[in-house]
Amino acid sequence: MVTSNPVLFTIICVLAIQAMILSGLIAFKQPRRPANIFLALLVFFYALMALNIVLVNVLKDRGMLDVFRYIQLEMIYGIGPSLYFYTKCITHPEFKFKKIHYLHFLPLALEFIFYRTSVYRIGSDGLYLEELPVYSYVYLIQQRIGVLSILVYSIISLVILVKYQDQLKDYYSKIANHSLRWLLAPIIIYAGYIIFWEILTEIDRFVFEKSLREYYFLPNFVMLAIVTCWIGFKGYIQKESNLVHIGAFPKKSKVENEQKDEVFLSKLRQLMEHEKPYLNPDLNLSMLSESLHMKPRQLSSKINQNCNQNFYDVVNSYRVKAFIKRLQSPERDKLSLLGHAYECGFYSKSTFNHVFKKTMKLTPSEYLRKLKNTS
């Protein structure tokens, strides 16, 4: 419990209720997809956590804390599974939620039941006594396991997303429209929030005897409400992408001792140099495979085995070569560096700068200066 702060209570309430409204909009967003259901649950559970803090303190001020013990709203065991299945749905379009997956939400059902028992009521009230009763330790263990659950699911989701971002480059040469990097931020923020909260509360408890609680408790929940509202808004406006089942593509294999397919390399080189499909910023594996009269899976495997690069890097290497060629031509000063980049198939300044520096070990402007000095 903390000293009441009507201003912060109002901010938390407004943002939490807004997040709940957004969760409802996400759940009924068209087209109806399982991913939307899990994102709606994720937003709802976090909004509930923020709203729960306001409710307990308001009831405490009115001398009705005993009532709160019967209507505890916190549902932390639903956060991890919701995040995990949302991540699975958006990174694997063919993923199907099966009956066995409901087991992930079994702890949530048990948590709900636990909050309706006398063990919880006695244990939570005992936290304010000098000597904690046994039931209080049960309550604290339940809370710690819930926090651990969120961290474990967050880490797993983060690994899935990072792997997905890497796999995108096997299919697309323009990954911005298919990237899910926006979801990395809330995962990291939420996991970091949980860790930071636990460390801060433990330091306050053992070092400062809870004297700092007034300074960080409510502001932390304001931040939680803000992030949750942002995730709900971002998730609602996020456009649906027509993603391929990336997991169907073959895994990369080591090719140090394998003989390269010179016929394929020659065919690929001729296509890229003469027809220049890389000038299309939306070029993807399916488009290129049609030009080479190959299946996407076969082409992906051939590129990985013979080029020591993924599709994304191969296409962008040709774009870099085309850019350098334009800088060496008499038309160099007719366009800006970014203008030349767009003419070569790049679709954004950040991608162009990143790819060029990775390839040439120089920024585009540094390369231009070097080129002018040597000419």
Side-chain angles (χ1 to χ4, degrees), residues 56-160:
V56 65
N57 281 279
V58 169
L59 290 178
K60 180 261 298 182
D61 290 343
R62 295 177 177 273
M64 301 171 62
L65 187 58
D66 57 319
V67 175
F68 174 79
R69 299 308 182 198
Y70 291 91
I71 58 172
Q72 162 72 274
L73 299 179
E74 193 174 56
M75 293 293 164
I76 60 177
Y77 282 87
I79 293 173
S82 298
L83 176 61
Y84 169 72
F85 284 112
Y86 174 64
T87 307
K88 290 286 287 185
C89 286
I90 59 177
T91 57
H92 296 79
E94 297 181 5
F95 173 78
K96 301 294 183 183
F97 187 82
K98 301 177 181 179
K99 290 182 179 180
I100 193 172
H101 293 143
Y102 282 108
L103 291 176
H104 287 266
F105 290 94
L106 179 59
L108 174 62
L110 296 176
E111 179 188 21
F112 182 82
I113 294 173
F114 174 73
Y115 287 144
R116 267 73 241 171
T117 66
S118 59
V119 175
Y120 157 70
R121 291 193 292 273
I122 298 173
S124 56
D125 287 337
L127 295 176
Y128 305 101
L129 302 177
E130 291 187 5
E131 185 176 347
L132 297 182
V134 175
Y135 285 173
S136 292
Y137 289 104
V138 174
Y139 171 70
L140 289 174
I141 291 173
Q142 176 263 339
Q143 289 282 301
R144 295 295 182 271
I145 294 176
V147 170
L148 181 62
S149 167
I150 295 175
L151 288 177
V152 170
Y153 276 109
S154 296
I155 292 171
I156 294 174
S157 300
L158 189 60
V159 171
I160 292 173

Side-chain angles (χ1 to χ4, degrees), residues 208-343:
F208 298 98
E209 298 181 348
K210 299 183 179 181
S211 61
L212 299 180
R213 191 176 180 83
E214 297 290 338
Y215 299 100
Y216 68 81
F217 191 85
L218 288 180
N220 266 278
F221 278 96
V222 170
M223 292 303 301
L224 177 65
I226 291 173
V227 172
T228 301
C229 199
W230 175 79
I231 293 174
F233 177 74
K234 188 73 175 179
Y236 178 68
I237 66 172
Q238 195 74 11
K239 294 182 180 180
E240 299 288 346
S241 299
N242 295 319
L243 301 176
V244 296
H245 186 198
I246 293 177
F249 287 94
K251 295 181 179 179
K252 299 179 181 65
S253 59
K254 295 182 179 180
V255 297
E256 288 85 352
N257 299 322
E258 293 183 14
Q259 188 174 359
K260 293 189 176 183
D261 188 340
E262 296 297 336
V263 175
F264 165 75
L265 289 173
S266 176
K267 190 176 180 181
L268 176 64
R269 191 180 305 112
Q270 288 182 16
L271 175 69
M272 299 299 274
E273 292 177 354
H274 292 92
E275 297 187 21
K276 302 180 179 180
Y278 57 83
L279 295 180
N280 177 7
D282 294 311
L283 179 67
N284 61 38
L285 189 68
S286 291
M287 296 176 184
L288 191 62
S289 65
E290 289 179 5
S291 299
L292 291 169
H293 306 291
M294 300 173 67
K295 294 182 179 180
R297 284 173 58 90
Q298 182 185 12
L299 177 57
S300 178
S301 178
K302 286 287 187 181
I303 289 176
N304 290 330
Q305 291 173 3
N306 294 279
C307 301
N308 293 327
Q309 292 178 305
N310 53 40
F311 172 78
Y312 178 86
D313 290 333
V314 167
V315 173
N316 281 311
S317 67
Y318 279 96
R319 289 170 177 165
V320 169
K321 291 177 184 177
F323 175 80
I324 292 175
K325 188 174 181 180
R326 291 180 69 90
L327 290 190
Q328 295 172 344
S329 71
E331 299 182 351
R332 179 178 66 192
D333 296 328
K334 291 184 178 181
L335 292 173
S336 64
L337 291 177
L338 188 57
H340 285 299
Y342 286 152
E343 290 294 317

